[in-house]
Amino acid sequence: MEGGKPSLVLVYQAVQALYHDPDPAGKERASVWLGELQRSMYAWEISDQLLQLKQDVESCYFAAQTMKVKIQSSFYELPPETHNALRDSLLSHIQNLKDLSPIIVTQLALAIADLALQMASWKGCVHTLIEKYNNDISSMPFLIEILTVLPEEVHSRSLRIGANRRTEIIEDLAFYSSTVVTLLTTCVEKTGSDEKMFIKVFRCLGSWFNLGVLDSNFMANNQLLMVLFQVLQRDETSTNLHEAASDCVCSALYAVENVDTNMALALQLFQGVLTLETAYHMAVAREDLDKVLNYCRIFTELCETFLETTVRSPGQGMGDLRMLELLLICAGHPQYEVVEISFNFWYRLGEHLYKINNAALHNIFRPYIQRLLHCLARHCQLDPDHEGIPEDTDDFGEFRMRVSDLVKDVIFLVGSMECFSQLYSTLKEGIPPWEVTEAVLFIMASIAKSVDPENNPTLSEVLQQVVLLPESVHMAVRYTSIELVGEMSEVVDRNPRFLDPVLNYLMKGLREKPLASAAAKAIHNICSVCRDHMAQHFQGLLDIARSLDSFALSTEAAVGLLKGTALVLARLPLEKIAECLSDLCAVQVLALKKLLAEESTNGKSADPTVWLDRLAVIFRHTNPIVENGQTHPCQKVIQEIWPVLSETLNTHQADNRIVERCCRCLRFAVRCVGKGSASLLQPLVTQMVSVYQVYPHSCFLYLGSILVDEYGMEEGCRQGLLDMLQALCMPTFQLLEQHNGLRNHPDTVDDLFRLATRFVQRSPVTLLSSSIIIHIIQCAIAATSLDHRDANCSVMKFVRDLIHTGLANDHEDDFEVRKQLIGQAMEQHGQQLITQLMHSCCFCLPPYTLPDVAEVLWEIMLFDRPTFCRWLESALKALPKETSGGAVTVTHKQLTDFHKQVTSAEECKQVCWAIREFTRLFR
């Protein structure tokens, strides 16, 4: 905050503006200013004063929330001698403000919990809080709120308390857990039928179950468990209380997932849940969907908890198959949201049975899966009065997609062929209503690919019948039948006699607006699978492609059709490919020329991305087999198209989105013809470099990496490519050296290091002997702390591959030179690199990046183990040993153990495990 500490009056005005200013710009200004205040040192004192003055709900909420944020993210700002005063002040605020608003109490409770977790000198905080407040009934609500959020905050991402402190806290909470449960039990007894108190008690109990610290034998015989099930059995229980009780039971079931070690509690919960079937039917009869969903959540959680027991001993003890019956009863509920809750369980059951692969077990569970599939087919039915095609983007459309995925995963238990035949016979035997037919076709489309297409008369018959469907049937039936045909492309490939009738059927669909995109997708599938048979139909595909915009296609469907056409084009005789490719590209090239002409006459720029994307997909999938020495048939076409792409790129050079599409198109063109694009290299690089100086779009770096990949092995191209790299690096470093430059431009970091990595792979000595390498290495060291998945991955891959070139004795002439150059680079930057990597692992990077870091450390260690040991020791000494709250982050023994584990590792994954364990100490 510039200009010193702001006055309370000013803060009040900003809070009022934030909540009540009718002008959005005023709200935004207030929000920015208050955000700055929260980040400043003054925030501690100001929020404390606001809470004391207790002027209104808004200012107190802002102050309470500020306290929480400061304790979570800036606790280090306070000297240790102020911690006790802060604790006492927060406790006095929560007591004084307990009746003002529940959201303020929650924010203060979070602040107190986060303080307790970080403040090592506050021993036995649970005990002290209960001692202080348990005799005062009016303090009960906020005491229980603190006891609810405390276990929830133990694993909070916002607090980096470290594994040592976390273990200490969890042991402490486990020690006092029975005191908390006893307090909750007394609370229920004292307050009798106070519903709000019951909800608080159940939330608190659930929170302790979630942390996994409750003694299961103590809980098995506890009164609260009986109360929970009584509340769930009672018909008159309110919605909010019912939800709180359901959440609590689900948490308890999750906590006993390791059934064998929690036998007594597991049995109580198992028996308790089985008593809820009647209550479920009552909720269905009363059409109380909220309660129905709660019961289904409980039944699902029960099945998840006892899954392994059920598979191990089906029908015996706690492997009682009545649990599956409960889920199937829920699956019979008319609302699809109910059955959807149980999907994860059915996936997991399928996965378990697939791994075990025991026929006798499959026979036990098959009838349940058959009944499930029957229910799912019924749930997939559209409303009888639905008009038009099925929507796939609304909630019901998404539900059907999830059904399709689930069916694919569990169909092996029933048998794809058996299920497919049964479904088909329901259509063949009666005359079901259209919505039943459509749902059956939808499920058939889900499993069509898993049915063996060899000599399969049923599949052939289905295909024959579907293409004979009259145009008079409901639009949705036609739509789904087209999807089914697309999924049966393997059958068409084995039975080429079907190709003509199938294509005729799909062409009819392509001409009708609602069906066009589905038909295009099906044609694309058939082109992909039946490439050789489709070659004779290439002219037809070309005709479609030429008049693509006369069909009502989605962008994706149009691109898919072109992809299918390109795949077939690649199977034509070599001498025909160039002419046909030219024809296929002509439409898009003409459209781009037309846009450029309009631009130059009336100065208006139209968007060329549709045409660029279409060209890109054609180049990407036209990959004919070209023998050595033959000229690539696509080379001439791409040379002809280059001037149009070049001009388009120039015209739109300021627009990142369009430039990105141009580069993508050029990337696939270069990949398509490989070395055959040599004549483009000079003009392309010149244009890239000149535009990049003014508009540093990161896609130019990516395109550069493609050029290095294709030409980096060519002696005559290496210097030119190095000049390109140096010219691109200058503006890139300027961009990344700005304030927060790395964080604000992760795409640039990603693409820069892709380019540098390609150089290392294709021409390492060229790069290592150049003056630019030092700057690239320094940039890499700075970027190791960047928490961005792709960018971080690129940086780590660059460093790993760089060091690896000094190790990989691939019997190339330049191995000794490489080794010497890497040695010099490591001598200069090794210590700094390892110190930065260790700091990044402990404080900046998420766990998923650690395997990449481990690979870098492993390569450095292989390169020079003795020096690496010294560097690592020095990096570890630089790490902080204590938190600002006075807790021990890492002991001397943990440091030496980690050093030993890494330096004595015999394979990279041991380094990775060691880093995983070690960095937990700082999280």
Side-chain angles (χ1 to χ4, degrees), residues 635-869:
Q635 188 173 323
K636 182 167 162 289
V637 183
I638 285 170
Q639 278 166 354
E640 286 165 6
I641 290 176
W642 158 247
V644 182
L645 292 176
S646 172
E647 202 184 330
T648 304
L649 178 54
N650 249 346
T651 306
H652 298 279
Q653 55 181 281
D655 187 325
N656 183 54
R657 188 177 62 94
I658 297 176
V659 172
E660 211 161 73
R661 299 305 232 292
C662 280
C663 285
R664 187 169 172 271
C665 190
L666 287 161
R667 159 191 163 195
F668 289 124
V670 170
R671 288 290 197 210
C672 173
V673 292
K675 304 281 183 294
S677 60
S679 61
L680 301 185
L681 194 55
Q682 188 66 49
L684 174 55
V685 168
T686 308
Q687 186 173 3
M688 282 164 57
V689 168
S690 92
V691 176
Y692 193 78
Q693 305 299 321
V694 191
Y695 299 107
H697 303 299
S698 75
C699 51
F700 287 127
L701 300 170
Y702 188 90
L703 186 53
S705 73
I706 303 292
L707 297 175
V708 173
D709 194 36
E710 291 290 343
Y711 293 99
M713 308 284 275
E714 304 287 309
E715 196 54 57
C717 299
R718 285 177 169 171
Q719 188 55 46
L721 290 169
L722 181 64
D723 293 343
M724 172 192 78
L725 172 68
Q726 290 180 316
L728 293 172
C729 275
M730 288 312 149
T732 304
F733 292 151
Q734 281 171 356
L735 187 70
L736 299 179
E737 280 162 10
Q738 293 169 2
H739 178 62
N740 279 340
L742 293 165
R743 183 168 296 283
N744 294 340
H745 303 283
D747 294 350
T748 301
V749 176
D750 181 13
D751 292 331
L752 170 69
F753 287 101
R754 276 174 196 267
L755 170 55
T757 303
R758 286 289 190 210
F759 240 112
V760 167
Q761 292 164 346
R762 292 286 174 259
S763 183
V765 175
T766 312
L767 179 63
L768 286 163
S769 320
S770 72
S771 57
I772 196 80
I773 184 67
I774 288 189
H775 303 288
I776 294 177
I777 291 174
Q778 284 169 340
C779 184
I781 292 173
T784 53
S785 60
L786 188 58
D787 169 13
H788 181 280
R789 190 182 287 265
D790 295 339
N792 195 282
C793 184
S794 280
V795 172
M796 295 301 172
K797 183 165 177 36
F798 164 71
V799 181
R800 192 204 83 90
D801 285 10
L802 183 74
I803 297 157
H804 191 71
T805 49
L807 278 168
N809 191 354
D810 38 23
H811 308 296
E812 295 279 338
D813 307 340
D814 62 359
F815 174 62
E816 286 305 324
V817 182
R818 290 193 324 242
K819 190 172 174 183
Q820 186 189 348
L821 288 167
I822 294 293
Q824 288 166 2
M826 288 312 292
E827 208 173 306
Q828 237 178 320
H829 305 287
Q831 179 66 73
Q832 189 194 356
L833 173 62
I834 287 179
T835 303
Q836 181 69 34
L837 278 173
M838 287 315 303
H839 184 272
S840 299
C841 285
C842 295
F843 299 107
C844 312
L845 298 179
Y848 65 74
T849 58
L850 297 181
D852 294 343
V853 177
E855 285 196 6
V856 172
L857 294 177
W858 175 248
E859 293 290 333
I860 299 173
M861 187 157 71
L862 290 182
F863 187 76
D864 182 349
R865 201 176 278 254
T867 314
F868 172 78
C869 293

Side-chain angles (χ1 to χ4, degrees), residues 333-365:
H333 190 279
Q335 300 279 43
Y336 70 84
E337 294 89 344
V338 180
V339 68
E340 196 169 13
I341 290 172
S342 64
F343 278 15
N344 192 51
F345 165 74
W346 296 112
Y347 276 124
R348 283 185 59 204
L349 176 65
E351 201 176 31
H352 264 67
L353 294 171
Y354 188 76
K355 279 182 189 159
I356 294 170
N357 195 13
N358 172 325
L361 257 188
H362 288 194
N363 288 337
I364 293 173
F365 290 98

Side-chain angles (χ1 to χ4, degrees), residues 203-374:
R203 267 195 58 223
C204 186
L205 182 61
S207 173
W208 285 74
F209 268 128
N210 285 336
L211 189 61
V213 291
L214 294 180
D215 180 302
S216 64
N217 289 330
F218 175 73
M219 284 313 299
N221 307 309
N222 191 274
Q223 170 101 34
L224 278 181
L225 214 55
M226 280 161 48
V227 176
L228 261 179
F229 284 112
Q230 282 165 3
V231 164
L232 288 169
Q233 284 158 353
R234 272 209 311 270
D235 182 33
E236 59 276 11
T237 297
S238 76
T239 306
N240 289 347
L241 180 56
H242 198 275
E243 185 173 3
S246 301
D247 288 344
C248 187
V249 170
C250 288
S251 298
L253 284 163
Y254 185 75
V256 298
E257 196 150 33
N258 195 342
V259 175
D260 301 335
T261 55
N262 297 296
M263 200 56 94
L265 179 56
L267 187 61
Q268 290 292 338
L269 290 167
F270 176 80
Q271 290 168 341
V273 174
L274 287 181
T275 64
L276 300 178
E277 187 183 339
T278 318
Y280 167 83
H281 289 300
M282 195 66 193
V284 173
R286 293 203 186 280
E287 295 187 1
D288 188 337
L289 186 59
D290 289 332
K291 286 187 180 176
V292 166
L293 291 167
N294 286 336
Y295 288 124
C296 187
R297 279 195 301 134
I298 294 172
F299 298 156
T300 304
E301 203 61 64
L302 177 76
C303 290
E304 295 245 22
T305 294
F306 293 100
L307 172 62
E308 293 192 14
T309 317
T310 312
V311 172
R312 200 169 53 222
S313 49
Q316 296 161 26
M318 285 189 273
D320 193 328
L321 294 172
R322 275 184 302 169
M323 292 188 287
L324 298 191
E325 291 289 348
L326 287 176
L327 280 199
L328 288 172
I329 290 170
C330 292
H333 190 279
Q335 300 279 43
Y336 70 84
E337 294 89 344
V338 180
V339 68
E340 196 169 13
I341 290 172
S342 64
F343 278 15
N344 192 51
F345 165 74
W346 296 112
Y347 276 124
R348 283 185 59 204
L349 176 65
E351 201 176 31
H352 264 67
L353 294 171
Y354 188 76
K355 279 182 189 159
I356 294 170
N357 195 13
N358 172 325
L361 257 188
H362 288 194
N363 288 337
I364 293 173
F365 290 98
R366 181 172 295 122
Y368 293 95
I369 299 295
Q370 279 170 329
R371 286 162 58 195
L372 174 70
L373 291 175
H374 184 76

Side-chain angles (χ1 to χ4, degrees), residues 10 25 31 41 78 228 232 242 436 601 613 727 773 804 827 832 889 919:
L10 201 57
S31 173
M41 274 295 288
L78 295 180
L228 261 179
L232 288 169
H242 198 275
V436 173
T601 53
D613 287 351
I773 184 67
H804 191 71
E827 208 173 306
Q832 189 194 356
T889 306
T919 52

